[in-house]
Amino acid sequence: MAEILNTALLQAHLEWEKIEDNKALFERKIKELPQETDLIILPEMFSTGFSMNAQNLAEPHKGPTFKWMQKMAAEKDAAVTGSLIISDKGNFYNRLYFVYPDGSSQKYDKRHTFSLAKEDETYASGRDRLIVDYKGWKICPLVCYDLRFPVWSRNTVDYDLLIYVANWPAARIVAWDALLKARAIENMSYCIGLNRVGRDGSDLDYIGHSAVYNCLGKQISSNLQEKEFTELVKLDRQHLKDTRSQLKFLQDRDRFTVHLNEE
């Protein structure tokens, strides 16, 4: 069990629908990370930007970019996570992969597709939440718009770390900042939000504000940055355990079951 989880946030400008260019960018950034890195976080749709052009951009499940993630994970001996446009069994998905250093993986399909951008008309919604066990840490990875739905992220299983990978526009960045902090506090968990910067092919601007909050809602990453940057943040499991032992808020949580509406 790792008491310290060295987590790398890669906030970057994404080249619109240029898969190989984006992989090359992130490969350079990943190779520059220190060897003690445990977990590498990439944005939502990190190889393309937030595109609805799934017909032309989708890769098969465990296709070329997934294999590239495996290569990066093996080379750095670190887990790599981020989402891609995937075609699987007749549907398109905004699919997050969590790739372990040994090449094994787990997947999460974005549950809340963003209707304002008509994402729901292109991509099928996922049905299952994912809880990853990595180096003794229980991790719940989610995608962008999921951030607005606290029931879906509710910490009913004592996870230690909540992750949101995103393409969250500048126009609504105030909500991003507030909700990340809220998710950390209400779930008594570390919460990481990894966003992109730059302008996409739909003329939407992104200003990053990637951040890490501890279980009390204190920001433990650097000031909210609006440019391309990489940051390594140490997550302390003992601090999490001590705080939960002292403040037993999770013991008073409501017990409930989520019923999915598929209409």
Side-chain angles (χ1 to χ4, degrees):
M1 178 180 293
E3 287 299 313
I4 301 296
L5 195 69
N6 295 299
T7 305
L9 283 68
L10 275 59
Q11 177 171 292
H13 170 76
L14 304 181
E15 295 293 336
W16 185 247
E17 298 184 348
K18 294 182 179 179
I19 294 174
E20 295 307 317
D21 289 353
N22 288 314
K23 285 195 292 188
L25 168 68
F26 284 115
E27 185 159 346
R28 290 194 299 271
K29 291 179 178 294
I30 289 170
K31 288 184 175 181
E32 293 171 354
L33 293 173
Q35 198 57 45
E36 64 267 21
T37 304
D38 297 307
L39 173 60
I40 300 165
I41 306 177
L42 308 177
E44 176 186 24
M45 293 191 183
F46 69 84
S47 64
T48 58
F50 188 63
S51 173
M52 300 302 106
N53 187 17
Q55 193 68 44
N56 294 321
L57 296 173
E59 299 184 21
H61 178 49
K62 296 188 176 180
T65 301
F66 169 82
K67 291 181 171 60
W68 172 86
M69 294 175 74
Q70 288 181 310
K71 177 175 177 284
M72 293 298 98
E75 288 184 3
K76 296 304 293 187
D77 191 29
V80 178
T81 191
S83 86
L84 305 169
I85 299 174
I86 297 296
S87 177
D88 191 7
K89 298 178 181 176
N91 288 315
F92 296 120
Y93 293 96
N94 185 345
R95 176 167 292 173
L96 176 143
Y97 288 108
F98 191 99
V99 181
Y100 296 85
D102 66 1
S104 60
S105 66
Q106 292 181 269
K107 64 178 176 66
Y108 165 74
D109 293 327
K110 184 178 182 181
R111 171 63 192 162
H112 299 94
T113 48
F114 189 41
S115 57
L116 187 62
K118 299 184 178 180
E119 184 184 13
D120 57 320
E121 297 179 13
T122 300
Y123 299 95
S125 294
R127 292 185 54 85
D128 300 311
R129 198 172 70 166
L130 173 64
I131 302 296
V132 171
D133 189 343
Y134 177 59
K135 293 195 170 186
W137 289 70
K138 293 174 71 173
I139 302 171
C140 179
L142 299 173
V143 180
C144 202
Y145 192 42
D146 288 331
L147 179 60
R148 287 189 177 270
F149 301 93
V151 171
W152 189 243
S153 66
R154 188 66 177 133
N155 194 358
T156 57
V157 295
D158 295 328
Y159 61 66
D160 307 303
L161 170 60
L162 183 61
I163 297 173
Y164 292 94
V165 301
N167 276 214
W168 194 285
R172 292 179 293 279
I173 203 66
V174 172
W176 167 260
D177 296 340
L179 292 174
L180 285 174
K181 186 173 184 176
R183 295 295 89 84
I185 294 168
E186 70 196 11
N187 293 304
M188 289 211 75
S189 165
Y190 283 105
C191 182
I192 296 177
L194 192 281
N195 197 19
R196 61 160 295 181
V197 292
R199 175 169 289 188
D200 70 13
S202 300
D203 287 330
L204 291 173
D205 290 315
Y206 302 86
I207 58 172
H209 284 217
S210 299
V212 183
Y213 296 91
N214 71 13
C215 62
L216 295 175
K218 179 181 178 181
Q219 186 177 334
I220 59 172
S221 53
S222 60
N223 291 334
L224 301 175
Q225 299 197 38
E226 300 186 355
K227 61 183 180 180
E228 193 166 84
F229 83 108
T230 296
E231 182 170 14
L232 195 68
V233 179
K234 294 181 180 293
L235 307 184
D236 187 342
R237 185 175 173 83
Q238 190 60 50
H239 176 268
L240 181 66
K241 290 190 292 187
D242 289 347
T243 304
R244 286 179 173 176
S245 177
Q246 179 184 7
L247 305 173
K248 303 179 186 298
F249 300 145
L250 287 180
Q251 293 184 11
D252 299 327
R253 62 195 160 193
D254 297 312
R255 307 292 174 177
F256 61 88
T257 301
V258 175
H259 296 281
L260 302 181
N261 181 359
E262 299 300 335
E263 294 181 357

